[in-house]
Amino acid sequence: MIRHEEAVKKATASIHQIKEEVDTNHWRPQYHVAAPAYWINDPNGFSFYNGEYHLFYQHHPYSALWGPMHWGHVKSKDLTTWEHLPVALAPSEEYDKDGCFSGSAIEKDGKLYLMYTGHIWTGENHDTDLEQVQCLAVSDDGVNFKKLANNPVIGAAPDGDIHPNHIRDPKVWKRGDEYYCVIGNRTKDESGQVLLYRSSNLLEWEFVNVAAKGEGNFGFMWECPDLFYLDGCDVLVMSPQGMEPANDLYLNLHQSGYVIGQLDYETGKLDHGSFKLLDYGFDFYAPQTTIDNQGRRVMIAWMAMWESEMPEQEFNWAGAMTLPRQLFIQDGKIICKPMPEVESLRNEKTVVFENVLIDGEKILDGVSGDCLELDVTFNAKESSMFGLKVRVNKEQGEETVVQYDVEEGFLTLDRNKTGKGLDGIRKAPVELKNHELHLRIFIDKSSIEVFINGGEKVMTSRLYPGQASTGIEFFTDGTALIKKLKKWGLRKSIGEELVHSSAAV
Ligand code: FRU
């Protein structure tokens, strides 16, 4: 256990040393969680403990590239102001020597338990030469974690059509007196699936069943499953790797989505409907949810994508989290809204416009910036195409385009001229309601999140424009109306100090 303490101390010190320099980079998010320095991927251990939200994340605290995985850690009282804490988990034992992979958190007897995947490489081939087991670490204070002596708590995979090596990302929850967890897996012939386990004490687990598995175009592996009860249904969220593109959908390297159904807790089978995406943009992966003391289901995802270009790596950091989003079920589908607390980020007087006719192109006084929220309702009127460009810089030819095509019925996010590195377009099928389109757009220094028609669809993307690219322009091919527009500047809310850091140096 001393080994673990030392590994945590060393990792925290590594971050501490460079964080100030990293924070001078102009792409650093102001109100999205990112590590103080270096690489992050999946959100982990998202939980509400002792009146605070805790969010951990996959973290490599020694470079801006993926490497032996640690768990970084932030906490918040209100889901908007986040405080950095010392690294929570570091590889230190035989069973996790090459990484503490993704997992979740749960409170038991006043203590916070992290359930994660211990990962080891057994050879050179990263697809076949690996072993993964499920482990626990526990904390009395929500900051310092000790790995359990009886790890791994779930060892070898059960018999059956279950791949013995790719078995990871436990998401744990409690129902009545029993604990359950779902674990990501694949069949032996490479079809994604999710395993369900049960425990009476969190320490000893029995395999119940394969809760769900892919049929047809559902990918070769399901990562980061999450199963929860929402508005009368059981929802399984998962991140399938390797789904083939289908028309305008599934164009990212990997997808994240959900199915809705009913879990039979006796048989361990989930009876469910069809797969749907949780986000239609470029950068959204491995979402994880928690439930808070108000009974709200809150989701955060990694705002990046495997194998994407990440221009911020040059500045010793990589990756950020999405805004926290509240989930609801409406007409058999999940809708995602920014948490209401996000409104507390608004720090300027509101800029308001009403009934502005757009005829060609239009710029509005006071509507510009690189860290802001826009709430805009368009009326399509006499147009077949309308929208807005953000992060515009005419001289540099930079712009990120959000465009609605009336006939096609698609909202398009175009980052071909967005700035450094990235390109491509993504489309979300969207219907106008009484010729109207409502967009709530969050722009941070290197990201955009577009919540469409009250969260029916969301499009999320990283962007790497120049610092001077702050323009916003509205456009249409005929005439369209901005029925109502509100704009707010947003404040910086991600802490920079490693506080409460008994392990910090
Ligand atoms: C998902 C994932 C998980 C794994 C982790 C490793 O992005 O591949 O399956 O636990 O990242 O960092």
Side-chain angles (χ1 to χ4, degrees):
M1 293 309 135
I2 304 278
R3 257 198 320 269
H4 186 232
E5 263 172 52
E6 277 168 6
V8 158
K9 239 187 189 161
K10 190 168 155 238
T12 305
S14 163
I15 294 296
H16 196 77
Q17 211 180 9
I18 195 173
K19 68 189 174 73
E20 271 163 33
E21 178 194 322
V22 168
D23 229 31
T24 60
N25 178 230
H26 72 275
W27 288 322
R28 288 288 288 169
Q30 302 296 290
Y31 58 93
H32 289 85
V33 171
Y38 296 139
W39 170 273
I40 72 172
N41 54 286
D42 316 352
N44 292 158
F46 192 22
S47 49
F48 189 78
Y49 172 68
N50 279 349
E52 294 176 318
Y53 297 89
H54 285 259
L55 179 67
F56 302 80
Y57 48 83
Q58 287 285 278
H59 186 27
H60 184 226
Y62 297 105
S63 87
L65 302 174
W66 189 83
M69 281 291 104
H70 294 57
W71 280 32
H73 188 187
V74 287
K75 70 171 187 174
S76 173
K77 287 191 194 314
D78 61 3
L79 289 167
T80 54
T81 301
W82 293 94
E83 183 178 306
H84 290 297
L85 294 169
V87 166
L89 290 180
S92 63
E93 311 302 313
E94 262 316 296
Y95 55 77
D96 65 9
K97 71 179 168 56
D98 295 320
C100 299
F101 273 20
S102 283
S104 50
I106 193 162
E107 179 177 349
K108 184 186 172 215
D109 303 329
K111 297 179 179 166
L112 188 62
Y113 283 79
L114 305 182
M115 189 168 186
Y116 69 98
T117 297
H119 174 89
I120 59 178
W121 298 119
T122 56
E124 293 300 306
N125 183 328
H126 279 193
D127 193 47
T128 54
D129 302 345
L130 67 162
E131 275 173 27
Q132 300 186 324
V133 292
Q134 318 314 317
C135 311
L136 285 172
V138 63
S139 171
D140 293 328
D141 59 4
V143 178
N144 301 292
F145 290 86
K146 283 196 166 41
K147 294 176 184 171
L148 264 55
N150 45 339
N151 275 339
V153 291
I154 301 180
D159 293 337
D161 192 8
I162 291 169
H163 196 288
N165 305 102
H166 286 277
I167 178 161
R168 58 178 174 268
D169 312 336
K171 175 75 199 300
V172 59
W173 73 98
K174 194 173 184 197
R175 182 175 182 265
D177 288 335
E178 301 205 279
Y179 296 91
Y180 289 85
C181 77
V182 275
I183 302 182
N185 182 241
R186 54 173 85 166
T187 60
K188 286 176 177 154
D189 66 354
E190 314 254 305
S191 215
Q193 63 182 359
V194 161
L195 313 180
L196 180 73
Y197 282 75
R198 177 167 42 220
S199 169
S200 58
N201 57 10
L202 207 56
L203 304 176
E204 291 142 304
W205 291 88
E206 58 164 327
F207 172 61
V208 186
N209 212 336
V210 173
K213 67 160 92 123
E215 273 145 36
N217 180 24
F218 250 100
F220 60 83
M221 168 80 199
W222 288 1
E223 298 191 304
C224 300
D226 189 349
L227 207 155
F228 51 87
Y229 185 73
L230 179 66
D231 298 341
C233 305
D234 292 313
V235 179
L236 173 65
V237 163
M238 71 294 210
S239 293
Q241 292 182 290
M243 285 175 74
E244 292 297 323
N247 299 320
D248 294 314
L249 296 182
Y250 316 145
L251 294 173
N252 296 336
L253 182 64
H254 303 315
Q255 318 306 319
S256 292
Y258 66 95
V259 294
I260 294 181
Q262 295 294 331
L263 177 65
D264 181 331
Y265 275 85
E266 287 312 309
T267 64
K269 280 276 169 209
L270 178 74
D271 182 19
H272 63 82
S274 61
F275 177 81
K276 296 186 179 68
L277 288 175
L278 278 164
D279 193 286
Y280 288 76
F282 295 85
D283 292 297
F284 181 95
Y285 196 62
Q288 188 172 89
T289 72
T290 191
I291 188 160
D292 70 5
N293 60 339
Q294 299 170 52
R296 303 180 301 177
R297 183 57 59 177
V298 193
M299 175 180 74
I300 287 189
W302 180 34
M303 190 161 58
M305 181 51 64
W306 288 111
E307 292 175 33
S308 271
E309 213 171 307
M310 299 179 183
E312 73 264 39
Q313 281 171 324
E314 192 186 331
F315 301 94
N316 289 317
W317 67 285
M321 295 295 156
T322 64
L323 278 179
R325 302 172 183 181
Q326 188 173 357
L327 304 185
F328 305 87
I329 295 183
Q330 199 177 282
D331 302 328
K333 294 189 191 112
I334 287 195
I335 61 168
C336 309
K337 292 178 189 283
M339 295 306 290
E341 285 89 335
V342 167
E343 290 177 23
S344 72
L345 291 170
R346 298 170 180 170
N347 72 355
E348 283 173 11
K349 80 170 184 12
T350 318
V351 177
V352 184
F353 284 92
E354 277 181 62
N355 297 320
V356 180
L357 195 71
I358 332 170
D359 177 1
E361 289 191 356
K362 186 140 226 132
I363 292 175
L364 298 174
D365 265 2
V367 181
S368 64
D370 60 5
C371 188
L372 60 98
E373 177 188 344
L374 263 186
D375 186 317
V376 57
T377 307
F378 291 95
N379 186 307
K381 251 184 144 204
E382 307 281 307
S383 80
S384 64
M385 178 277 287
F386 62 91
L388 73 164
K389 299 175 181 176
V390 301
R391 303 301 308 265
V392 178
N393 182 332
K394 289 254 194 246
E395 287 83 66
Q396 303 293 326
E398 285 184 1
E399 59 185 34
T400 298
V401 187
V402 180
Q403 174 175 321
Y404 187 76
D405 287 285
V406 178
E407 237 165 67
E408 269 197 45
F410 275 104
L411 190 75
T412 301
L413 179 61
D414 180 338
R415 65 178 187 185
N416 280 318
K417 295 194 210 153
T418 234
K420 188 115 199 233
L422 309 172
D423 57 11
I425 63 168
R426 291 291 179 268
K427 291 182 172 188
V430 174
E431 279 174 30
L432 299 185
K433 299 196 172 96
N434 302 322
H435 308 287
E436 286 186 7
L437 175 72
H438 177 246
L439 303 178
R440 215 173 145 199
I441 300 179
F442 290 85
I443 291 172
D444 202 341
K445 300 279 179 173
S446 55
S447 65
I448 181 168
E449 286 162 285
V450 184
F451 292 84
I452 306 160
N453 287 342
E456 215 175 70
K457 301 262 161 56
V458 191
M459 301 181 91
T460 301
S461 181
R462 301 301 301 280
L463 322 167
Y464 301 92
Q467 231 168 328
S469 304
T470 55
I472 296 184
E473 285 179 17
F474 299 86
F475 62 87
T476 176
D477 62 348
T479 53
L481 191 70
I482 296 177
K483 199 174 161 198
K484 183 142 199 174
L485 176 145
K486 287 186 180 178
K487 178 243 153 184
W488 300 268
L490 301 181
R491 75 181 158 86
K492 179 166 168 47
S493 66
I494 307 301
E496 295 155 285
E497 288 304 306
L498 294 173
V499 289
H500 304 312
S501 52
S502 50
V505 288

